[in-house]
Amino acid sequence: MEKSGKQEQGKNTFTDKKIFPVPYDLGEIQENIIISTSSKEQIISQAFKFHSEGNLIEAEKYYQYFINEGYSDPSVFSNYGIILKDMGKLKEADLLTRKAIEQKPSFSDAHYNHGIILDKLGRFKESELAYRKAIELKPTFSEAYLNLGSLIKNHGQLNEAKKLIQKAIEFNPDLIEAHLNLGIILKDLGNLKEAEISTRKAIELKPDFTDAYSNLGDILKELGKLEEAEISTRKAIELNPDLAEAHSNL
């Protein structure tokens, strides 16, 4: 899942997901790179290998070399777009991902990645449409349901967001952020007991999930379980001493 270049995590934020985990800042790429490959297939294979291994500097070199040679492939455009997104080059990432979709309109992952990029560009309606297209093409795309639900929630459509994130969990019960986000929505809807259950599930799946402990503390406080709320909030601070919100709540 989706993964880096995340939005800042917190009580009311939602975690970005994408296809490749690329938590990396790419440095300057030298122009005089020599890549000892002789075919389109070899270049793609090497690029994908480096990308899957998390060696993004080398992956970036091969993707760029591939494009410079005049080759074209939707997977290359989509994957390179992910790297550019995490470099903060959102307009370039947008253009490359659009190329991937133009070449392969049925490429559900590209539509999904495009949704993330468009969201970060502040083009929320287009982002929503991209996520919905990814789901149309791949009806079991749990991460797309999660991101779409998060987007919808942030624009006040709580009941629709709830349904979407429940769909994400239906297709992937181990999707940690879906349980956390469902807990946030249920709390906002006033369903505190259900919110507690969802948030505890996120902690069960990821015992060091700082945001989940912090959110659980809030929920327990509203339920009147003050002693448990304090324990949960202190756990959030133990995991992240710089979590200002947890200190405030405590």
Side-chain angles (χ1 to χ4, degrees):
M1 298 192 316
E2 280 171 311
K3 301 163 171 182
S4 159
K6 294 181 179 179
Q7 296 173 351
E8 182 183 350
Q9 290 184 342
K11 178 178 173 184
N12 291 311
T13 55
F14 292 81
T15 307
D16 281 355
K17 298 292 163 199
K18 55 183 174 300
I19 301 306
F20 282 98
V22 287
Y24 206 90
D25 247 347
L26 291 176
E28 185 96 29
I29 303 300
Q30 295 179 357
E31 295 181 358
N32 59 344
I33 297 167
I34 299 175
I35 298 177
S36 58
T37 53
S38 57
S39 73
K40 174 181 177 179
E41 290 73 22
Q42 286 176 308
I43 299 170
I44 290 179
S45 177
Q46 197 62 45
F48 288 176
K49 176 177 180 292
F50 282 129
H51 202 161
S52 65
E53 292 172 350
N55 188 343
L56 301 185
I57 289 179
E58 292 302 316
E60 199 276 348
K61 291 177 184 178
Y62 276 82
Y63 287 142
Q64 190 60 60
Y65 180 78
F66 179 91
I67 293 169
N68 290 346
E69 287 295 296
Y71 295 132
S72 182
D73 183 275
S75 295
V76 168
F77 291 139
S78 180
N79 291 354
Y80 193 14
I82 294 169
I83 292 178
L84 290 171
K85 167 196 157 301
D86 285 332
M87 293 171 66
K89 298 181 178 180
L90 297 177
K91 291 183 179 179
E92 294 92 331
D94 178 25
L95 290 172
L96 278 177
T97 309
R98 286 183 188 277
K99 283 188 177 182
I101 292 168
E102 287 170 6
Q103 288 193 0
K104 187 178 178 182
S106 63
F107 195 175
S108 60
D109 288 350
H111 287 283
Y112 169 70
N113 290 334
H114 201 207
I116 296 172
I117 293 163
L118 290 166
D119 187 2
K120 289 187 175 295
L121 284 167
R123 291 151 62 177
F124 302 120
K125 188 59 183 179
E126 291 176 74
S127 175
E128 178 185 345
L129 293 174
Y131 288 136
R132 290 193 185 279
K133 185 63 178 181
I135 290 168
E136 176 189 327
L137 293 166
K138 185 180 176 182
T140 61
F141 203 155
S142 55
E143 290 87 353
Y145 283 106
L146 169 61
N147 279 16
L148 178 57
S150 301
L151 185 72
I152 292 294
K153 184 267 179 190
N154 287 335
H155 287 81
Q157 301 176 49
L158 295 180
N159 286 307
E160 176 68 11
K162 175 185 170 184
K163 292 176 184 177
L164 288 164
I165 293 181
Q166 285 173 330
K167 272 287 188 182
I169 293 170
E170 175 186 337
F171 293 121
N172 184 357
D174 295 330
L175 191 55
I176 299 164
E177 290 83 358
H179 291 284
L180 176 70
N181 292 355
L182 181 58
I184 294 170
I185 291 169
L186 290 167
K187 178 178 178 292
D188 288 348
L189 287 169
N191 301 330
L192 294 176
K193 290 184 178 179
E194 294 177 57
E196 178 186 353
I197 292 169
S198 291
T199 309
R200 288 192 184 279
K201 182 62 177 180
I203 291 170
E204 176 188 327
L205 292 168
K206 185 179 179 183
D208 62 348
F209 201 167
T210 304
D211 288 342
Y213 283 105
S214 181
N215 289 356
L216 180 59
D218 282 351
I219 294 164
L220 292 169
K221 181 180 177 181
E222 291 199 25
L223 284 167
K225 301 178 181 180
L226 299 183
E227 188 173 328
E228 291 180 66
E230 179 181 347
I231 291 170
S232 184
T233 304
R234 288 192 183 278
K235 182 65 176 178
I237 293 170
E238 175 189 326
L239 290 166
N240 181 4
D242 296 325
L243 190 60
E245 184 177 18
H247 285 285
S248 175
N249 289 342
L250 186 61

